[in-house]
Each structure stands twice: as C-alpha cells, then as structure tokens.
Amino acid sequence: MESAHYFSAQPAGPFTRKPLTVELAGETRKLQTSSGIFSPEGIDKGTAVLLAEVPAPSPQGNLLDIGCGWGPIALTMALRAPHATVYAVDVNERCVTLTNENAAALGLENLRASLPDGVDPGLHFDTIWSNPPIRIGKDELHSLLLRWLPRLAPGGSAWLVVQKNLGSDSLQRWLAAELDSSFTVTRESTSKSFRILKVRKASH
C-alpha cells in the first residue's frame, strides 16, 4: 500500500506532485497530491462522512485540523469560514507542503499548515475537525488527542470521525474519562461504518 508510511516525517520515495480534482465545499477544485501521504487518490470515506455530517465550523476565531493529509478538511474549513484562521497540522512534511500549496491554489489566505510544533502553544480553538490517524497505535493516538483537544476554547467543539471496527466506542469512553469535567463527549451520528464523536468544552 503506497501510503503505508505516511506517518513518517519524511516519507520514502520521490515527492512527485500529481493533479487531483475533488469536490470541496460544494464546488469542484483542482488541487495537487502525491505518494507517501494518507489517501493520495482523493477524499477517503471517513473524511467524506465527516464533511457531510458535521455542522458548519465557527465563522471566526481559530479552527484546527489534526492530521491534515493533502488538506481536504482544512481546505473545507477555510472555504466555509473565510473570516476564521485555520490551522492544519501533520507530522508528514509532504502533507504540510501540499496543504499550503493547495490553499494557495484556492486563494485561501486564512489557512496555515505546519508541523505540530509550529503552532503557537498558547492558541485555543473554536472548532476542531479531525479524521484522526487511528492506525498510529493507541498510545500515539491518545497522546495526540490529549495534546490538542484540551485546547478547545470555552464553548468550542471538536468533531472526530472514527471507524466503528477501529475502536470508536472505546475511544469515546476513554476521552470521557481522560478529559476534565468541563468537557462532554458524545456520539453524534453513525454513517456507513463510521461514528462521529463530538467533544465540547463548556462555555464557562
């Protein structure tokens, strides 16, 4: 499988850009992709479910996509919330480059993709959308989610899409146990073989 090593910072193989035509935020978009990243051929099923099911992101403030790949979630957020600032993070440098280039191709000046350490640690986020990288393993996944989810702003929400057979229910229970009492974790919907989990931070 070509994308087997997409968790590495610098994937093996040449970084060769390929054209990609997809529909994002209701319109056909001409973007770029490459090998060595997650779902290089287009929008994967989980991301498609997330984008179809979640409510609109906060119209302003800071938004976050955890594990951006070539950028479908972050680009959609930036298109739908032009007055917000969208942060996209990925450990894969190729993904960061592609997301920034795809944002530029769409004229989106409100999107900033970077490695995780490139985001100001003092920032809080009004909306987080993520198709989290379940296959990096439970410990890595847990530390990733605990790095970002506690940074929800008061009243903010995170929406995660997780395959049922990859432990969505146990992840929901774990999040509810790990996050402090200002957070609520709920299962919002099930579509195809995916669940949408919502993490909300209380307003006060």
Side-chain angles (χ1 to χ4, degrees):
M1 187 162 155
E2 194 175 14
S3 55
H5 302 293
Y6 58 82
F7 305 126
S8 57
Q10 296 171 315
F15 184 5
T16 308
R17 292 165 178 78
K18 297 182 287 194
L20 176 68
T21 302
V22 293
E23 186 169 300
L24 292 177
E27 288 186 28
T28 301
R29 318 282 178 173
K30 294 195 179 301
L31 305 172
Q32 296 191 98
T33 182
S34 82
S35 62
I37 66 170
F38 176 65
S39 192
E41 304 304 321
I43 299 174
D44 66 286
K45 287 180 186 155
T47 295
V49 167
L50 181 82
L51 294 176
E53 297 273 331
V54 298
S58 173
Q60 62 240 343
N62 299 318
L63 316 181
L64 175 68
D65 171 16
I66 308 167
C68 61
W70 54 262
I73 292 173
L75 294 166
T76 299
M77 290 176 121
L79 288 161
R80 292 179 65 183
H83 301 295
T85 302
V86 179
Y87 294 86
V89 294
D90 205 295
V91 296
N92 184 326
E93 294 171 4
R94 201 171 285 188
C95 292
V96 171
T97 299
L98 285 167
T99 298
N100 280 322
E101 289 178 353
N102 286 332
L106 297 180
L108 295 169
E109 296 181 1
N110 61 328
L111 195 162
R112 304 183 171 99
S114 69
L115 299 173
D117 288 344
V119 178
D120 178 349
L123 280 179
H124 286 77
F125 302 98
D126 299 281
T127 304
I128 297 174
W129 287 359
S130 181
N131 180 359
I134 301 295
R135 296 180 190 278
I136 58 177
K138 192 175 281 188
D139 290 347
E140 289 277 326
L141 175 70
H142 286 177
S143 65
L144 176 74
L145 293 175
L146 287 181
R147 175 174 188 168
W148 298 107
L149 293 179
R151 292 171 63 178
L152 276 171
S157 296
W159 301 82
L160 313 174
V161 62
V162 184
Q163 240 180 307
K164 278 192 287 196
N165 64 359
L166 291 179
S168 60
D169 294 350
S170 60
L171 182 65
Q172 180 185 347
R173 288 190 297 271
W174 178 83
L175 285 169
E178 286 291 322
L179 295 169
D180 70 43
S181 60
S182 66
F183 293 88
T184 53
V185 184
T186 51
R187 188 168 85 212
E188 288 296 301
S189 63
T190 301
S191 178
K192 305 192 167 86
S193 59
F194 295 90
R195 296 211 198 282
I196 301 281
L197 303 181
K198 178 184 178 185
V199 180
R200 187 172 188 281
K201 179 155 175 84
S203 302
H204 303 294

